[in-house]
C-alpha cells in the first residue's frame, strides 16, 4: 500500500489544485506506518526523498506526516531537527506546517528543546502575523494541559489505537495543508477537533469507592517481554514515585508493593485498586518474609 501511495507522489503535476491529492497520499503513508516502530523509521527516509524531489503540495504535507508518526513523542531528535530546518523554509506554507508539526510532536510534553526552538521562531517571525500565530498555536500544544495531557492515539501499552483520536488529528492535519484558507482564515474553530484526541498522561489510582489513593509505583522504560520464559522484568531503569504520576512516551508503571491489587493489567490513566488480603508489603511476585525464613 505504501508503494502505491509513493507512486502517486512521484507524478509531476503543474497546477497546485491538481496535486492536492498528493498531500493526502503523504499523510496516508504516515497513517499506515505509525502503528509500529520499524515502519515509521523506514518512512523517515522516504520523506527525505519527497522533500528533495517532491512538488510543493507534497513538501507542505511532509512536516505534517512527520508529526503524525511522532505525535507527543519528542524522543526522536532527527525529526525535531528536520522540522526545525523546515520552519525556516522559503515556502511560507511549508514553514507554517513545520511549526505546527513541532507543536504536535511535543504536544503535552513541555519538552525544553522544542520550547526553545519555538521561542526562537517567535523572535524570528515577529513581523509575520500568520507565522507568529502558528508559533503561538504550537506553544499552546506543547504545554497542553500544563503537561498532563497527550495527543498520542495509542494506549494500553501501545497495543490499541483510538480511532476517534486519529480522526481528530487527521482533521487538523488536512486543515494545515491549506492553513491560510482554513485555520488562519474563518475556519479557526477546526482546532476544537483536537479535543477528540486529548487524553490524560497521568496515572491516578483510586479505591473501589472512587476516592484517590496514594500508592508507590515504579515508572521506567517499557521492555518487550513477549515470548520470554518465566517472569522477566517488564520495565528497566525505573524510579519509584507516589501516585499521581506522569507517564512519558514509552514509559510503563507497576505497583511497588503488593498492598493493593489493580482491576486492570495495564496501569494507565485512572486505575481502580482493591485491598490485597494476602499483602506482605513486598513487591508483587517477590517471596514474603515467611518464605525467606524457611
Amino acid at each position: 500500500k505504501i508503494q502505491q501511495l509513493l507512486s502517486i507522489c512521484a507524478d509531476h503535476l503543474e497546477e497546485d489544485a491538481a496535486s492536492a491529492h498528493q498531500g493526502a497520499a503523504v499523510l496516508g503513508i504516515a497513517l499506515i506506518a505509525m502503528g509500529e516502530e520499524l515502519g515509521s523509521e523506514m518512512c523517515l527516509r522516504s520523506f527525505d526523498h519527497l522533500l528533495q524531489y517532491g512538488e510543493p503540495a507534497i513538501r507542505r504535507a511532509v512536516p505534517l506526516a512527520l508529526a503524525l508518526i511522532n505525535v507527543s513523542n519528542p524522543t526522536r531528535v532527527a525529526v525535531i531537527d528536520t522540522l526545525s530546518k523546515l520552519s525556516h523554509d522559503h515556502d511560507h506554507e511549508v514553514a507554517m506546517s513545520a511549526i505546527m508539526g513541532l507543536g504536535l510532536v511535543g504536544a503535552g510534553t513541555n519538552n525544553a528543546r522544542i520550547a526553545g526552538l519555538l521561542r526562537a521562531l517567535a523572535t524570528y517571525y515577529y513581523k509575520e502575523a500568520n507565522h507568529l500565530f502558528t508559533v503561538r498555536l504550537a506553544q499552546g500544544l506543547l504545554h497542553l494541559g500544563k503537561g498532563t495531557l497527550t495527543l498520542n492515539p495509542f494506549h494500553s501499552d501501545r497495543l490499541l489505537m483510538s480511532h476517534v483520536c486519529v480522526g481528530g488529528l487527521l482533521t487538523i492535519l488536512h486543515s494545515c495543508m491549506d492553513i491560510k484558507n482554513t485555520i488562519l482564515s474563518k475556519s479557526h474553530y477546526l482546532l476544537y477537533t483536537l479535543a477528540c484526541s486529548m487524553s490524560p498522561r497521568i496515572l491516578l489510582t483510586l479505591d473501589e469507592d472512587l476516592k484517590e489513593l496514594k500508592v508507590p509505583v515504579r515508572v521506567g522504560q517499557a521492555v518487550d517481554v513477549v515470548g520470554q520464559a518465566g517472569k522477566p522484568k517488564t520495565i528497566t531503569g525505573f524510579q519509584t514515585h507516589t501516585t499521581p504520576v506522569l507517564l512519558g512516551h514509552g514509559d510503563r508503571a507497576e505497583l511497588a508493593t503488593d498492598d493493593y491489587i489493580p482491576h486492570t493489567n495495564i496501569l494507565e490513566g485512572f486505575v481502580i485498586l482493591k485491598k490485597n488480603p494476602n499483602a506482605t508489603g513486598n513487591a508483587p511476585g517477590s517471596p514474603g518474609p515467611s518464605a525467606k525464613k524457611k
Side-chain angles (χ1 to χ4, degrees):
K1 204 70 183 174
I2 287 181
Q3 292 300 325
Q4 290 176 16
L5 293 170
L6 283 171
S7 68
I8 292 171
C9 296
D11 296 335
H12 287 282
L13 304 168
E14 296 295 327
E15 298 175 15
D16 278 357
S19 60
H21 67 287
Q22 292 181 319
V26 175
L27 286 183
I29 294 168
L31 198 58
I32 293 167
M34 70 189 288
E36 40 97 29
E37 292 289 326
L38 185 61
S40 55
E41 286 281 356
M42 290 170 70
C43 268
L44 298 181
R45 185 174 175 82
S46 298
F47 289 149
D48 277 343
H49 287 242
L50 292 176
L51 277 174
Q52 288 175 25
Y53 307 115
E55 299 296 311
I58 294 173
R59 294 188 78 248
R60 288 167 194 163
V62 167
L64 302 172
L66 287 171
L68 182 58
I69 285 180
N70 300 282
V71 175
S72 294
N73 175 19
T75 55
R76 283 187 180 155
V77 179
V79 171
I80 296 174
D81 287 343
T82 304
L83 290 173
S84 175
K85 184 176 71 176
L86 290 173
S87 64
H88 296 85
D89 197 87
H90 59 85
D91 183 337
H92 292 313
E93 297 212 21
V94 173
M96 285 189 280
S97 293
I99 293 166
M100 278 300 285
L102 280 172
L104 289 168
V105 167
T109 61
N110 288 336
N111 185 270
R113 183 190 174 109
I114 296 178
L117 290 172
L118 291 174
R119 279 195 298 272
L121 284 168
T123 309
Y124 184 77
Y125 286 121
Y126 75 100
K127 285 184 180 176
E128 301 276 350
N130 285 346
H131 289 74
L132 190 58
F133 180 64
T134 315
V135 171
R136 298 304 181 209
L137 285 177
Q139 285 176 318
L141 288 171
L142 179 67
H143 302 294
L144 196 66
K146 294 186 178 178
T148 60
L149 295 175
T150 181
L151 298 181
N152 193 348
F154 293 98
H155 57 95
S156 303
D157 273 345
R158 290 186 61 81
L159 182 67
L160 304 173
M161 184 181 78
S162 166
H163 291 194
V164 175
C165 180
V166 174
L169 287 169
L170 281 178
T171 308
I172 287 296
L173 295 174
H174 276 281
S175 322
C176 288
M177 286 199 290
D178 187 17
I179 195 167
K180 282 185 179 175
N181 298 319
T182 53
I183 292 171
L184 298 178
S185 184
K186 294 182 179 178
S187 304
H188 46 78
Y189 51 81
L190 286 169
L191 288 166
Y192 282 122
T193 57
L194 275 179
C196 304
S197 308
M198 293 176 192
S199 56
R201 199 163 71 90
I202 201 165
L203 167 62
L204 185 66
T205 47
L206 309 165
D207 63 14
E208 291 179 300
D209 297 323
L210 299 185
K211 291 178 181 172
E212 186 183 345
L213 268 181
K214 292 189 181 293
V215 297
V217 291
R218 296 195 191 113
V219 179
Q221 279 294 113
V223 178
D224 189 3
V225 293
V226 175
Q228 292 187 21
K231 285 189 176 179
K233 298 283 186 189
T234 55
I235 59 173
T236 182
F238 62 82
Q239 290 182 322
T240 305
H241 301 279
T242 304
T243 58
V245 64
L246 285 173
L247 297 179
H249 185 274
D251 282 354
R252 183 181 289 162
E254 60 180 36
L255 293 177
T257 64
D258 63 354
D259 294 340
Y260 292 93
I261 301 171
H263 279 273
T264 174
N265 296 328
I266 298 162
L267 299 187
E268 274 181 20
F270 299 94
V271 178
I272 299 174
L273 306 177
K274 63 179 179 184
K275 270 280 189 187
N276 183 2
N278 304 316
T280 61
N282 297 312
S286 63
S290 55
K292 287 178 182 174
K293 284 177 187 174
K294 288 179 185 177

